[in-house]
Structure formats: structure tokens, C-alpha cells
């Protein structure tokens, strides 16, 4: 609140945040109210100001010694006089001659103030000191002028030699787990380590009383000298990671298996898993990627691209959404216009901390560099965490179970295709995105209940809006051009027909002037969304390049052709091996006494059979005959 933003080529000030909406006020008196997700995703939106510095908390100010308070307030009066000429504000009278802003520059007023402070007996009050204190006051207010030395916690080792401290730590480590080890034995071992490491008389040891206090300060309070070693079977420590209090403060990345399979690119059925990024405070799904369960972990950069870039800012949106919506089931949860509006309002933000659970995402050096540049902290969820890990994994398992039932009910395959995989991976991903937008984000959850309102559970979208208003800030996402930058990259050749990647061809008019150069180009791609790739051209920018056959999936009867093709491939995989008595499928009406040909799985004739009335044989140079009348009698 209070920030200056640019929206629709005008300057606005954030007046309030309530219910997921941002209230804006312009200088000419105009006001506006719109959803926070629409505001940050609007073209031309940017933050041109920053919120005013928060005042010092009274409780924190009361902990400052009186002398430090008086000195900070004295510095405040002197700095105000340097900047404005009046130490008490604009109503305090006329400025002194040496601090008149109309006659002297800021540097000259700083020099005059340094001379005045030196005359008053202030130590080290040079012009550089005055300038530094003035800049600190501008950034942090009165709290920046406070002497922070009284806030420093005392060191547990005091002024003890670092070599002695290192020896005590080594002695404590060696004695850990020895039930009969005493503090005296730790001290004697410390003295021996010092002599062995640095020589006799080279390091001065403190008194025995000081060593006793040093061992007590450096030893683990839960495992002091003489206590048995803790084992993994013992009870774990209570507590755990801190709870998230703001939207996108702590985002958990976890994986769960689905109870439904999908048709792979080779036509076979594959087990499917979902890797999702769940907001720890609101339960919103910031990103959800479907992938083969046996295909290895999902790259964390792909999840960052999905959660940090709003969908309206991504290249090609909403054309890609319209294409996916047209190729799904005939009965949808939402109409296309309603889905476009709801998808645009889905939460998107750069997380403050990513809590990565074991196995779901691959953390590479590139990901570490990206997280460092974005200010994202990476945290590995410990295997014995009692609260957050179980909560995130349990929530994702519930999500996977509910979506499995929805996908199975939406399929309803014909009787001839029951028992096999129905959806392709892109269709299942689109079905999941629609289900999360229309159902999951609007489903009350048990863990989203206020302690004083135990009978009223909020939905993830409602909790996200509540926390936005409570925190007083909106976590800003990335711009649209960052979507391709976060995706994995490889070097690909640019031929006359475009870019070949994963058995697909991508082409666009922007590639025309760069063909036939004989070099390999940097191409960024989404491993689980192959409808488009991004190529870096000589202008340094990433340009989207569409899949040339992407619209083929919207052709008439294409879904039926895909399913029947998958059935043929499945039967091919289950056919008998060559050399057996029947290596193909018999077409025709052999039971009627007419000739029939046996066709192999590749479509060629394997052998001919003749009944009593049939005369067609391979030796006679004839071909197998398919009798349409006999086939009609069978049906």
C-alpha cells in the first residue's frame, strides 16, 4: 500500500488492498478497482515507487538505551537542518545563515555541519560521516541512526583464541556418544589436541574455569558430555519449519502418482505422475506438470516458468488455450470465455522460498543460478519433518485422487476400447489445468480454517485474496519474455523446413532470413508442452516458433483416428512373435468355405489358406481375397 504504479499509461497510487482487489487513486482524483492478478498481468504495468518506510516499532525502540536514543534524535535534528535548513521542520522559523538552501549547496551545508559537530566535541564527525548518516536516515528513518552495537548478542566464546575453540569442538566430537565421558576428560583431550596440532607452549590456554564454561557453551544442549549418542530410531525434535503467513512465502514442490494412465508418444500406455508447486499459506496450485512416472524428475526451472509468469503474458496465449480447449472432451467444466477469464486470474508469483521434497524436481547448477538472480531461497524438506512435509504431500495426494476420478468419468470410452488408456498426455494436462481452475481452487479445504472459526473452511482462491489484503502487498510475477528464458535449452539446426525437435517440426516466418547459415541455434523448449519452442535470434530475444502440425489435432475425426491408431499399435504389441503358427490376423470368411488370406501385422500377406472350394494359392501367383458378402454376414 502506498506504492506508485503505472497502469494504462497513467500513474496511480495503491490506496487499499482488500478481497484480492487493488484500489487505485490518480493525481486528478480518478479511482479504479480491479483484481490483483489482472493488474500485475496488464500490459505496461510497472512499479515506479516504493512504499513509505515503516515507523520504528515502539517495543523495539524501548529496548534502545537512553543514551543511544538521545544521540539518534540529535542526529535527526542535525540531518534535517542540513537538508532543509530547519532542524525542527518547516514551521520552526528561519534557517541559520550557514544552512540556508538558497545560498549554499548540500555539500557546503554538510561541511558546515561537520565543523559545528567537531566544535561541540563529537568524535569523528567529518563531512563523510554527516553524508553517510544522512543517506542512512533517508533509507531507514530514525532507526537507521541508532547505534546498533548494543543489539549484538554476546559471543559464547568471548575472546578465546580460535585455535582453542577449534580444539574444544574437536574434543566434543570425539567424546560424543561415550556414556562415561566427563567435562574434565573433554578438557584434557582439548589440551592434548592443542599440543599435537600447534606444539607445546605455542598456544596459551585459558584457565580451567574458563574451559569449563567454554565446553558447556559449545556442546550440544541435547547431547552434553557423558550422554549416549542419539540414534535415528529415537524421537525427533519437536517443531519444524516456520509456517507460511504470506502468499508465495513458502512454496512446496512435491510429486504424486495418478491412478489413471495416458497414451504415450509410441502408442503404449504409460503411468502418469503430477509434480506440483503448492503455496504453503493458501494451498493454491501455482504450477502442476504431468509427466511419465518413470521418466525421471521434472526440472525445477520448468516449474519456475509455470508459477512465476502469468498465463496472459505468455507468448501465444490464449490461442494455445483455445486450441487445447477444442481438442478435449465434448462436455467441459467451463465455457471457453469463462475459462479464459478464470485462467487469467489464477495466482502467479515469484516464490520467496522453494521447499523441495525428495525426488520431485531436479536441482541443477542452472537452477541455482536462476534462483540466486531472482532472490529465491532453496530449502530441502527434511525426511522427518512432522508438519509441513506431511501436509504438502497429503494435499497433493488428495488432489491426485480427486482428479483421477474426474478424468476417468470424463473419458467414458466405447465398449471396444474399455480397459486401455484413453487420454493423451497433452489432453490430460489440459484437463488438469481446467479442473484446478474450475474445481480445486474453489473447493473448501480443512487446513484453511481459522482457529477461531473452526467450522468455516476457505477455498484456496479465497485464502489467497485474504492473505493479500492482510499482508498489504502483492507478490509480483515475472514478465512474459522470462517464460522462455526459464525453460531448458539445447542447440538445434535450422534447415529449410524449420527446426526438428523430438520428432516434430517447428517453423515460422521469422526464421526465413536465417536459414541456410549452417549453424546451430539456441532453442528453449517445454519438455511437457511441445506446441511451441523459442529460438534466440541475432537480436538477442527469444521468438516463439509454433509446431507446424499443431492445428492438425483440431481436424475432423482426428480424436477418433488417434484412438484407433493407438488400438492398432496396442494390438501390434500383443501379436504373436514370428515363427509361431499364426503370426497375423485372418480377414475374410474362412468359415464359409471360401478363400481367405492371412495378413501380418505389417499389412503384408503371410500365407493363404484354401477351403474345399478355394483355389487361390501363393504358388499360383494369386493374392488373398476379402469377401465382402461373407464379411457382411458375420456382422
Amino acid at each position: 500500500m502506498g506504492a506508485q504504479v503505472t497502469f494504462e499509461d497513467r500513474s496511480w497510487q495503491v490506496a487499499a488492498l482488500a478481497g484480492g482487489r487493488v484500489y487505485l487513486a490518480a493525481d486528478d482524483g480518478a479511482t479504479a478497482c480491479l483484481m490483483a492478478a489482472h493488474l500485475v498481468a496488464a500490459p505496461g504495468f510497472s512499479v515506479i515507487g516504493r512504499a513509505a518506510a515503516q515507523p520504528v516499532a515502539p517495543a523495539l525502540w524501548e529496548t534502545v538505551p537512553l543514551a543511544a536514543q538521545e544521540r539518534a534524535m540529535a542526529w535527526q535534528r542535525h540531518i534535517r537542518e542540513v537538508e532543509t535548513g530547519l532542524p525542527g521542520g518547516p514551521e520552526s522559523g528561519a534557517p541559520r545563515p550557514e544552512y540556508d538552501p538558497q545560498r549554499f549547496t548540500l555539500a557546503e551545508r554538510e561541511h558546515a555541519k561537520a565543523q559545528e559537530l567537531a566544535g561541540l566535541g563529537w568524535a569523528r564527525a567529518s563531512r563523510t560521516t554527516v553524508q553517510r548518516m544522512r543517506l542512512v536516515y533517508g533509507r531507514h528513518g530514525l532507526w537507521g541512526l541508532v547505534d546498533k552495537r548494543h543489539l549484538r548478542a554476546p559471543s559464547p566464546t568471548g575472546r578465546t583464541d580460535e585455535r582453542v575453540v577449534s580444539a574444544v569442538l574437536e574434543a566434543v566430537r570425539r567424546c560424543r556418544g561415550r556414556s562415561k565421558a566427563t567435562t574434565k576428560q573433554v578438557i584434557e583431550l582439548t589440551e592434548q589436541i592443542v599440543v599435537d596440532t600447534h606444539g607445546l607452549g605455542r598456544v596459551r590456554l585459558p584457565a580451567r574455569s574458563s574451559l569449563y564454561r567454554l565446553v558447556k557453551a559449545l556442546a550440544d544442549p541435547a547431547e552434553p558430555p557423558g550422554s549416549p549418542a542419539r540414534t535415528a530410531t529415537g524421537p525427533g525434535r519437536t517443531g519444524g519449519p516456520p509456517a507460511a503467513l504470506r502468499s508465495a512465502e513458502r512454496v512446496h514442490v512435491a510429486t504424486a502418482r495418478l491412478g489413471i494412465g495416458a497414451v504415450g508418444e509410441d502408442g503404449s500406455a504409460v503411468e502418469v505422475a503430477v509434480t506440483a508447486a503448492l503455496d504453503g499459506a493458501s494451498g493454491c496450485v501455482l504450477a502442476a506438470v504431468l509427466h511419465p512416472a518413470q521418466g525421471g524428475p521434472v526440472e525445477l526451472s520448468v516449474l519456475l516458468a509455470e508459477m512465476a509468469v502469468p498465463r496472459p503474458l505468455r507468448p501465444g496465449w490464449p490461442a494455445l488455450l483455445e486450441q487445447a480447449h477444442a481438442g478435449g472432451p465434448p462436455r467441459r467444466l467451463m465455457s471457453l470465455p469463462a475459462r479464459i477469464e478464470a485462467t487469467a486470474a489464477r495466482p502467479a508469483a515469484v516464490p520467496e522460498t522453494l521447499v523441495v521434497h525428495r525426488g520431485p524436481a531436479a536441482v541443477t547448477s542452472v537452477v541455482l543460478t536462476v534462483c540466486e538472480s531472482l532472490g529465491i531461497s532453496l530449502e530441502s524438506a527434511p525426511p522427518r519433518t512432522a508438519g509441513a512435509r506431511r501436509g504438502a504431500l497429503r494435499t497433493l495426494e488428495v488432489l491426485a485422487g480427486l482428479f483421477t476420478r474426474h478424468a476417468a468419468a470424463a473419458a467414458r470410452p466405447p465398449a471396444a476400447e474399455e480397459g486401455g488408456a484413453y487420454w493423451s498426455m497433452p489432453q490430460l494436462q489440459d484437463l488438469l489445468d481446467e479442473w484446478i481452475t474450475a474445481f480445486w481452487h474453489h473447493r473448501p479445504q480443512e487446513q484453511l480454517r481459522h482457529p477461531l472459526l473452526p467450522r468455516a473452511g476457505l477455498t484456496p482462491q479465497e485464502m489467497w485474496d485474504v492473505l493479500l489484503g492482510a499482508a498489504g502487498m502483492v507478490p509480483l510475477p515475472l514478465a512474459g519474455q522470462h517464460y522462455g528464458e526459464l525453460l531448458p535449452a539445447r542447440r538445434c539446426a535450422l534447415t529449410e523446413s524449420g527446426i526438428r525437435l523430438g520428432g516434430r517440426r517447428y517453423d515460422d516466418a521469422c526464421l526465413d532470413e536465417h536459414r541456410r547459415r549452417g549453424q546451430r541455434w539456441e532453442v528453449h523448449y517445454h519438455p511437457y508442452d511441445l506446441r511451441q519452442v523459442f529460438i534466440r535470434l541475432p537480436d538477442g530475444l527469444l521468438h516463439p516458433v509454433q509446431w507446424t502440425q499443431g492445428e492438425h489435432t483440431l481436424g475432423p475425426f482426428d480424436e477418433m483416428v488417434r484412438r484407433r491408431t493407438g488400438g492398432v499399435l496396442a494390438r501390434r504389441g500383443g501379436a504373436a512373435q514370428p515363427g509361431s503358427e499364426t503370426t497375423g490376423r485372418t480377414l475374410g470368411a474362412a468359415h464359409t468355405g471360401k478363400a481367405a488370406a492371412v495378413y501380418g501385422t505389417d499389412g503384408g500377406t503371410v500365407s493363404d489358406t484354401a477351403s474345399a472350394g478355394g483355389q487361390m494359392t501363393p504358388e499360383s501367383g494369386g493374392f488373398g481375397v476379402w469377401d465382402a458378402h461373407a464379411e457382411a454376414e458375420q456382422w
Side-chain angles (χ1 to χ4, degrees):
M1 292 177 56
Q4 296 288 336
V5 300
T6 300
F7 173 63
E8 293 184 349
D9 300 329
R10 297 182 61 182
S11 177
W12 305 79
Q13 184 178 20
V14 179
L17 292 170
R21 294 178 173 85
V22 181
Y23 295 84
L24 304 176
D27 296 336
D28 56 359
T31 59
C33 174
L34 64 162
M35 297 294 295
H38 287 282
L39 176 64
V40 299
F45 169 79
S46 62
V47 180
I48 60 175
R50 59 185 179 90
Q54 295 293 329
V56 179
L60 190 61
W61 177 256
E62 291 177 356
T63 61
V64 179
L66 182 60
Q69 291 183 12
E70 293 177 349
R71 187 174 182 86
M73 298 181 68
W75 266 115
Q76 183 185 40
R77 292 191 297 270
H78 290 304
I79 291 173
R80 286 179 176 177
E81 188 173 23
V82 170
E83 293 181 340
T84 65
L86 301 173
E91 304 296 334
S92 59
R96 290 192 287 174
E98 61 270 26
Y99 299 109
D100 190 354
Q102 303 297 331
R103 299 174 55 188
F104 299 99
T105 63
L106 182 60
E108 292 173 340
R109 299 197 300 271
E110 290 175 347
H111 182 70
K113 179 58 67 176
Q115 291 182 343
E116 178 185 354
L117 295 178
L120 293 175
W122 287 43
R124 297 188 296 275
S126 62
R127 176 186 173 275
T128 304
T129 303
V130 175
Q131 183 185 40
R132 177 175 56 83
M133 298 297 287
R134 182 178 62 82
L135 296 176
V136 170
Y137 178 71
R139 291 193 300 267
H140 305 290
L142 183 61
W143 181 251
L145 304 177
V146 175
D147 188 356
K148 307 297 193 306
R149 287 179 291 183
H150 73 282
L151 300 177
R152 298 174 184 173
S155 173
T157 60
R159 299 182 179 180
T160 307
D161 194 328
E162 294 182 357
R163 294 173 291 185
V164 178
V165 174
S166 177
V168 172
L169 291 175
E170 177 63 21
V172 170
R173 186 192 66 81
R174 294 183 184 180
C175 294
R176 183 176 295 122
R178 299 181 182 178
S179 58
K180 296 183 179 181
T182 62
T183 304
K184 181 179 179 181
Q185 292 176 343
V186 174
I187 294 176
E188 294 175 351
L189 182 58
T190 300
E191 296 172 346
Q192 185 63 37
I193 292 175
V194 170
V195 173
D196 296 341
T197 305
H198 305 284
L200 183 62
R202 301 293 297 273
V203 177
R204 183 179 179 181
L205 293 173
R208 277 296 180 97
S209 58
S210 300
L211 286 176
Y212 269 97
R213 290 192 296 268
L214 188 61
V215 171
K216 184 178 180 180
L218 296 180
D220 188 353
E223 191 178 355
S227 62
R230 296 194 305 266
T231 61
T233 58
R237 295 184 181 181
T238 59
L245 302 178
R246 301 186 305 274
S247 299
E249 180 183 2
R250 294 176 65 84
V251 177
H252 297 263
V253 179
T255 296
R257 288 177 178 263
L258 297 183
I260 188 172
V263 180
E265 294 187 355
D266 59 351
S268 61
V270 295
E271 295 183 3
V272 183
V274 55
T275 296
L278 301 174
D279 181 34
S282 65
C284 286
V285 181
L286 301 183
V289 175
L290 293 180
H291 57 93
Q294 305 297 334
V298 177
E299 293 192 31
L300 194 57
S301 59
V302 175
L303 291 174
L304 283 175
E306 290 286 340
M307 74 177 75
V309 180
R311 285 157 180 80
L313 300 184
R314 300 177 188 178
W317 196 92
L320 295 177
L321 180 60
E322 296 176 0
Q323 176 182 344
H325 190 87
R331 299 184 61 182
R332 286 283 191 172
L333 296 177
M334 309 173 68
S335 63
L336 180 59
R339 184 181 177 187
I340 292 177
E341 182 179 358
T343 304
R346 280 186 58 175
V350 177
E352 299 180 24
T353 301
L354 276 179
V355 183
V356 182
H357 298 267
R358 287 189 175 183
V363 181
T364 61
S365 59
V366 177
V367 172
L368 294 177
T369 303
V370 171
C371 292
E372 183 178 2
S373 62
L374 295 178
I376 302 174
S377 300
L378 281 177
E379 182 178 318
S380 178
R384 296 175 63 189
T385 300
R389 179 175 183 264
R390 183 173 63 247
L393 292 179
R394 176 58 182 166
T395 301
L396 187 58
E397 290 174 357
V398 172
L399 183 149
L402 293 177
F403 174 70
T404 297
R405 287 190 290 177
H406 169 71
R412 295 198 180 103
E417 296 178 358
E418 287 184 355
Y422 184 83
W423 301 111
S424 64
M425 289 292 290
Q427 288 177 329
L428 202 60
Q429 178 68 58
D430 176 69
L431 201 65
L432 175 63
D433 292 338
E434 180 190 35
W435 181 80
I436 290 175
T437 304
F439 176 76
W440 180 262
H441 278 179
H442 301 280
R443 173 181 178 269
Q445 297 188 11
E446 181 180 358
Q447 64 270 23
L448 301 181
R449 295 182 301 180
H450 193 275
L452 299 181
L453 303 172
R455 296 185 180 181
L458 297 182
T459 67
Q461 188 67 50
E462 291 173 343
M463 180 58 74
W464 180 276
D465 297 339
V466 167
L467 294 179
L468 286 184
M473 59 176 296
V474 177
L476 295 180
L478 299 179
Q481 63 269 20
H482 294 97
Y483 181 74
E485 296 286 355
L486 291 173
L487 297 178
R490 65 169 58 177
R491 292 284 179 177
C492 298
L494 178 58
T495 63
E496 288 289 346
S497 59
I499 303 171
R500 303 284 301 187
L501 182 64
R504 294 173 174 85
R505 185 170 64 89
Y506 301 86
D507 201 0
D508 192 80
C510 65
L511 306 178
D512 293 342
E513 59 179 318
H514 306 290
R515 306 178 197 268
R516 299 181 299 275
R517 293 192 178 184
Q519 61 179 359
R520 304 181 72 85
W521 299 76
E522 178 184 348
V523 176
H524 293 246
Y525 65 98
H526 195 303
Y528 310 105
D529 185 3
L530 305 176
R531 294 173 293 180
Q532 66 179 358
V533 296
F534 302 87
I535 183 172
R536 192 181 302 279
L537 295 180
D539 58 1
L541 302 178
L542 289 177
H543 296 260
V545 182
Q546 304 299 324
W547 180 26
T548 56
Q549 294 183 335
E551 297 182 356
H552 174 68
T553 57
L554 303 180
F557 308 108
D558 180 78
E559 180 62 21
M560 182 183 297
V561 172
R562 181 194 66 81
R563 293 199 303 267
R564 291 185 177 275
T565 303
V568 171
L569 294 175
R571 289 192 296 271
R572 175 191 295 177
Q577 298 297 326
S580 61
E581 294 182 0
T582 58
T583 60
R585 179 185 178 187
T586 303
L587 300 178
H591 65 283
T592 61
K594 298 183 180 180
V598 179
Y599 294 85
T601 57
D602 58 353
T605 303
V606 177
S607 63
D608 290 339
T609 59
S611 62
Q615 301 297 328
M616 304 292 293
T617 60
E619 291 76 13
S620 62
F623 297 92
V625 177
W626 178 67
D627 193 333
H629 297 285
E631 188 73 7
E633 292 178 1
Q634 293 184 19
W635 288 92

